[in-house]
Amino acid sequence: MKTPLQDFDKQKALQLETALLFGVDEAGRGPLAGPVVASACYIDSNLYSYFEDVNDSKKLTHKKREEIFERINKIGVLYGVGFASAAEIDRYNILQATFLAMRRACQKFYTIPGAVALVDGPHTIAKFPLRQYAVIDGDAKSLNIAAASIIAKVFRDRYMDILDKLYPGYGFAGHKGYGTPKHLAAVEKLGPCPQHRKTFAPIRRFFKPTLFP
């Protein structure tokens, strides 16, 4: 049974006259710590029946995201993942670092003739070599963008679980770097760690402006 997300991608592929329309999305623009993670994903229409439960990652439980992610890997869906570190976010700003993560995620698509990207949100990717289109609320409209959002979220959550072990006391495994009361209390007690974004309030007050990259 086709879903509205699958219909959107099929219609867009016909409209744009491409056989390979892939989705791009990110996770982690808002947190105070950790990287921003992007994914690029292409699900062939022959595989649509395996992904009727795919939706915007924010509307799915952690368990459901993990289940879909494992299915994506088992079936062999084509995807890429890119990271931009907290230091790169401070150096370039969050929007440019997101574009950097997206370009890294899309590299395996660069050599595919005629590949076209659908990018979640109001912006297309800066300095991008392929044809691309921005889709506002794309993770609620496009199967490929929604799948990319799930992949990016799973990768970032797992990465924050690793950081939780490397930097104990901040609770990264629980809040994933977002500015929760528990996280802010830990920063007040321990000070920022190298994974905190120095240019983000309220972290930046711990640093002198001259120390910014």
Side-chain angles (χ1 to χ4, degrees):
M1 178 174 131
K2 287 192 298 183
T3 68
L5 277 70
Q6 295 171 359
D7 283 339
F8 181 90
D9 283 357
K10 278 196 170 184
Q11 292 168 11
K12 274 290 181 185
L14 287 172
Q15 176 188 342
L16 299 174
E17 299 180 339
T18 177
L20 201 152
L21 184 70
F22 66 97
V24 184
D25 203 358
E26 53 74 28
R29 287 189 64 174
L32 304 179
V36 60
V37 180
S39 177
C41 180
Y42 168 68
I43 299 176
D44 188 277
S45 59
N46 293 325
L47 302 176
Y48 278 2
S49 61
Y50 295 100
F51 298 104
E52 293 174 358
D53 55 347
V54 168
N55 205 336
D56 174 5
S57 65
K58 296 184 288 296
K59 298 179 181 178
L60 302 175
T61 64
H62 171 81
K63 182 179 179 181
K64 190 63 174 178
R65 289 193 298 267
E66 289 282 346
E67 177 190 322
I68 293 172
F69 179 68
E70 293 304 322
R71 199 184 316 151
I72 284 170
N73 283 295
K74 184 176 181 180
I75 292 172
V77 168
L78 178 63
Y79 73 85
V81 176
F83 285 60
S85 68
E88 289 173 320
I89 292 168
D90 289 333
R91 186 177 305 126
Y92 302 122
N93 75 45
I94 184 58
L95 179 60
Q96 295 305 319
T98 299
F99 291 155
L100 177 61
M102 287 178 168
R103 289 194 295 269
R104 289 168 174 168
C106 293
Q107 286 183 8
K108 64 175 60 178
F109 292 92
Y110 289 175
T111 57
I112 300 176
V116 178
L118 294 182
V119 185
D120 182 58
H123 305 288
T124 52
I125 306 167
K127 302 175 183 177
F128 193 65
L130 301 179
R131 190 159 52 125
Q132 58 174 325
Y133 297 88
V135 182
I136 295 174
D137 294 327
D139 45 11
K141 297 175 181 176
S142 161
L143 175 68
N144 284 298
I145 294 178
S149 77
I150 291 168
I151 295 166
K153 176 65 173 166
V154 169
F155 264 86
R156 189 178 191 280
D157 283 356
R158 291 182 178 183
Y159 190 82
M160 295 308 294
D161 290 344
I162 294 170
L163 292 186
D164 185 68
K165 294 179 175 64
L166 294 175
Y167 300 96
Y170 293 99
F172 288 144
H175 53 66
K176 309 304 182 189
Y178 284 89
T180 64
K182 181 180 179 180
H183 186 187
L184 295 175
V187 174
E188 287 291 338
K189 179 181 177 181
L190 303 172
C193 78
Q195 292 295 326
H196 280 99
R197 302 173 182 181
K198 295 187 291 184
T199 50
F200 276 41
I203 303 300
R204 66 181 173 220
R205 67 187 179 84
F206 289 91
F207 298 90
K208 296 179 181 179
T210 54
L211 295 181
F212 289 177

